[in-house]
Amino acid sequence: MFSLFGAPALSQFRLDGLLRSLRSQDSRVTTLSSRWMHFIDAVQPLGPGELRLLERLLTYGARDSAPNGDTPRSGHRVLVTPRVGTESPWSSKATDIVHVCGLDHVARVERGCMYFMESSSVLSAGDLQKLAAYLHDRMTESIWIDTAEPTQLFHAGPARPLRRVDVRQRGSE
């Protein structure tokens, strides 16, 4: 797996709303920005031409106002991805598009949102976990604190066998 940063993920309006929510929980939070991150599961290393094509395919949405598309480097990072063990609808369609464009060595493409959070003083991992609750949906998404490498994102466990439960006899169980 390797990753590529993309365009800004959220509008300033949405970031401002999230920032207000974060500040209501912890007044040390000063700024918030976001970028799309694309995770690529390739069965073999991609050649330079394939990488250029993939980068072009993954260049969409708003353009960054920072010079040279610089990615924020300061502050804490909170990465939000689809829940581990699931495949998002975005991933399904993006992977189809990548294959139609001839990138057969790409097994899957997934997208996450990297939040960059600056604060007036250091936030602990516990603080970041609490704040991350405002940045993701815990039913459908996973969070990764201060990392850009979501381990197990492409993990697909074996399917469990089908179980039948007689709800009349054992429903509450």
Side-chain angles (χ1 to χ4, degrees):
M1 177 185 80
F2 65 95
S3 59
L4 298 170
F5 273 105
L10 302 179
S11 69
Q12 193 58 51
F13 177 79
R14 290 192 59 201
L15 286 170
D16 290 344
L18 286 172
L19 183 58
R20 280 191 298 277
S21 296
L22 295 173
R23 282 184 179 159
S24 73
Q25 295 304 305
D26 194 323
S27 61
R28 295 176 293 172
V29 178
T30 58
T31 63
L32 183 68
S33 61
S34 65
R35 294 289 295 262
W36 290 123
M37 276 198 81
H38 302 99
F39 302 96
I40 297 90
D41 183 21
V43 295
Q44 70 182 44
L46 302 181
E50 293 172 311
L51 279 173
R52 279 192 303 278
L53 175 57
L54 184 61
E55 287 172 351
R56 285 188 9 230
L57 289 171
L58 296 176
T59 300
Y60 56 88
R63 296 298 182 253
D64 197 354
S65 60
N68 301 324
D70 287 342
T71 302
R73 303 270 187 242
S74 61
H76 300 283
R77 296 187 210 189
V78 176
L79 175 62
V80 177
T81 65
R83 192 165 184 82
V84 170
T86 65
E87 182 175 351
S88 72
W90 184 93
S91 173
S92 177
K93 191 52 151 174
T95 303
D96 286 347
I97 291 168
V98 164
H99 289 160
V100 166
C101 291
L103 296 172
D104 298 325
H105 300 305
V106 174
R108 185 169 146 211
V109 180
E110 190 57 83
R111 177 174 76 171
C113 180
M114 176 70 80
Y115 291 95
F116 299 91
M117 189 183 317
E118 293 188 27
S119 59
S120 58
S121 63
V122 176
L123 299 171
S124 70
D127 295 333
L128 291 170
Q129 286 284 349
K130 289 177 189 171
L131 292 170
Y134 294 90
L135 302 174
H136 84 295
D137 177 350
R138 66 187 181 127
M139 296 297 288
T140 61
E141 296 173 319
S142 296
I143 57 167
W144 313 87
I145 303 296
D146 278 332
T147 184
E149 296 300 324
T151 56
Q152 304 296 317
L153 181 63
F154 293 116
H155 173 73
R160 290 187 254 171
L162 176 66
R163 278 186 20 191
R164 296 191 186 274
V165 176
D166 182 354
V167 292
R168 292 183 188 162
Q169 297 294 325
R170 300 175 46 202
S172 62
E173 188 182 313

PDB file of all heavy atoms in Angstrom, residues 41 71 120:
ATOM      1  N   ASP A  41      -3.704   0.077  -3.112  1.00  0.00           N
ATOM      2  CA  ASP A  41      -3.264  -1.292  -2.872  1.00  0.00           C
ATOM      3  C   ASP A  41      -2.885  -1.863  -4.233  1.00  0.00           C
ATOM      4  O   ASP A  41      -3.757  -2.151  -5.055  1.00  0.00           O
ATOM      5  CB  ASP A  41      -4.395  -2.096  -2.235  1.00  0.00           C
ATOM      6  CG  ASP A  41      -3.991  -3.512  -1.883  1.00  0.00           C
ATOM      7  OD1 ASP A  41      -2.779  -3.770  -1.746  1.00  0.00           O
ATOM      8  OD2 ASP A  41      -4.887  -4.360  -1.752  1.00  0.00           O
ATOM      9  N   THR A  71       1.357  20.447   1.490  1.00  0.00           N
ATOM     10  CA  THR A  71       0.483  19.850   2.480  1.00  0.00           C
ATOM     11  C   THR A  71       0.866  20.401   3.843  1.00  0.00           C
ATOM     12  O   THR A  71       2.052  20.493   4.152  1.00  0.00           O
ATOM     13  CB  THR A  71       0.666  18.318   2.464  1.00  0.00           C
ATOM     14  OG1 THR A  71       0.364  17.868   1.153  1.00  0.00           O
ATOM     15  CG2 THR A  71      -0.242  17.656   3.453  1.00  0.00           C
ATOM     16  N   SER A 120      -2.993  25.504  20.820  1.00  0.00           N
ATOM     17  CA  SER A 120      -2.142  26.424  21.569  1.00  0.00           C
ATOM     18  C   SER A 120      -1.184  25.684  22.495  1.00  0.00           C
ATOM     19  O   SER A 120      -0.175  26.234  22.915  1.00  0.00           O
ATOM     20  CB  SER A 120      -2.996  27.418  22.365  1.00  0.00           C
ATOM     21  OG  SER A 120      -3.855  26.714  23.247  1.00  0.00           O
TER      22      SER A 120
END
